[in-house]
């Protein structure tokens, strides 16, 4: 058969739809109010992008590929939003580490002795290590969850284990924070 009668994109592979942040099977999709707002904003942006792509008639093959990716991303995002369980931090115990807590912990031994780390425990979709936002399913978040103010607990960091003391716990409504 001559290639003259075959569309170029017929031999192309199916587009790859990037996965969302990992949420282990069976784990409740906890989010902060800010996290839910971020998900809804992302959905609005994707729907706008899809509308623009649908209107573009320049290259049908590329348009179809982009729409497939956008529709897959929108479906995954809608699923995340539908399963989201918003946790109001105002109801969390003020002297115990739970979802939504911003904690400060001090290393008591090892090569990091005296070093302080501060981070906030958030949902998987709003986690950002650079911004100090750690997913509640991350090993360090799981290790400190349930700890009380002033408590010393062991934390596994790679191959090393060090003892840390919880020196501060605070819960703030992050809905005013910038994304």
């Amino acid at each position: 058969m001559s290639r003259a009668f075959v569309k170029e994109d017929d031999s192309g592979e199916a587009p790859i739809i990037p996965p969302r942040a990992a949420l282990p099977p069976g784990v409740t999709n906890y989010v902060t109010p800010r996290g839910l707002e971020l998900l809804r904003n992302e959905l609005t942006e994707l729907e706008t992008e899809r509308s623009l792509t649908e209107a573009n008639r320049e290259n049908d093959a590329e348009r179809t590929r982009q729409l497939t990716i956008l529709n897959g991303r929108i479906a995954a995002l809608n699923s995340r939003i539908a399963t989201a369980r918003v946790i109001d931090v105002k109801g969390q115990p003020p002297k115990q580490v739970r979802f939504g807590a911003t904690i400060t912990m001090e290393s008591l031994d090892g090569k990091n002795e005296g070093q302080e780390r501060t981070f906030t425990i958030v949902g998987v979709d709003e986690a950002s290590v650079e911004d100090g936002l750690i997913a509640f399913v991350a090993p360090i978040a799981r290790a400190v969850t349930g700890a009380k103010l002033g408590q010393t607990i062991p934390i596994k960091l790679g191959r090393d284990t060090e003892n840390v003391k919880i020196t501060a716990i605070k819960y703030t409504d992050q809905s005013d924070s910038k994304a």
Side-chain angles (χ1 to χ4, degrees):
M1 174 192 228
S2 170
R3 291 289 301 158
F5 297 104
V6 179
K7 288 183 179 177
E8 256 184 57
D9 63 314
D10 284 351
S11 63
E13 297 177 14
I16 296 173
I17 299 167
R20 298 217 47 93
L23 183 65
V27 173
T28 302
N29 182 23
Y30 295 116
V31 297
T32 63
R34 177 183 171 271
L36 184 59
E37 181 183 338
L38 290 172
L39 291 173
R40 288 180 175 153
N41 290 343
E42 182 182 349
L43 180 60
T44 300
E45 290 171 10
L46 286 174
E47 288 172 339
T48 300
E49 187 176 345
R50 179 175 59 183
S51 293
L52 294 171
T53 302
E54 286 172 340
N56 182 359
R57 301 287 179 186
E58 291 177 16
N59 181 340
D60 281 342
E62 180 61 19
R63 178 178 161 267
T64 300
R65 187 186 77 71
Q66 287 179 340
L67 285 173
T68 300
I69 292 169
L70 287 169
N71 287 333
R73 289 178 64 197
I74 289 170
L77 183 55
N78 276 325
S79 175
R80 257 320 147 84
I81 291 171
T83 62
R85 181 166 171 222
V86 179
I87 301 296
D88 183 3
V89 297
K90 294 175 195 140
Q92 299 290 42
K95 295 185 187 238
Q96 188 173 22
V97 178
R98 296 290 176 102
F99 183 88
T102 298
I103 71 157
T104 301
M105 59 187 196
E106 180 184 352
S107 294
L108 300 177
D109 54 26
K111 62 184 175 189
N112 297 316
E113 186 174 352
Q115 180 183 3
E116 284 195 342
R117 294 181 190 92
T118 300
F119 59 88
T120 303
I121 301 173
V122 297
V124 295
D125 289 296
E126 62 184 307
S128 167
V129 174
E130 300 86 30
D131 296 329
L133 303 172
I134 306 297
F136 71 97
V137 295
I140 195 163
R142 290 193 332 252
V144 298
T145 297
K148 295 187 168 128
L149 186 61
Q151 184 176 350
T152 299
I153 56 172
I155 299 285
K156 188 159 178 66
L157 300 170
R159 293 181 180 187
D160 300 330
T161 300
E162 64 182 55
N163 291 305
V164 298
K165 182 177 183 178
I166 306 299
T167 59
I169 301 171
K170 69 178 181 177
Y171 291 93
T172 56
D173 182 3
Q174 297 179 350
S175 60
D176 300 334
S177 301
K178 293 191 177 204

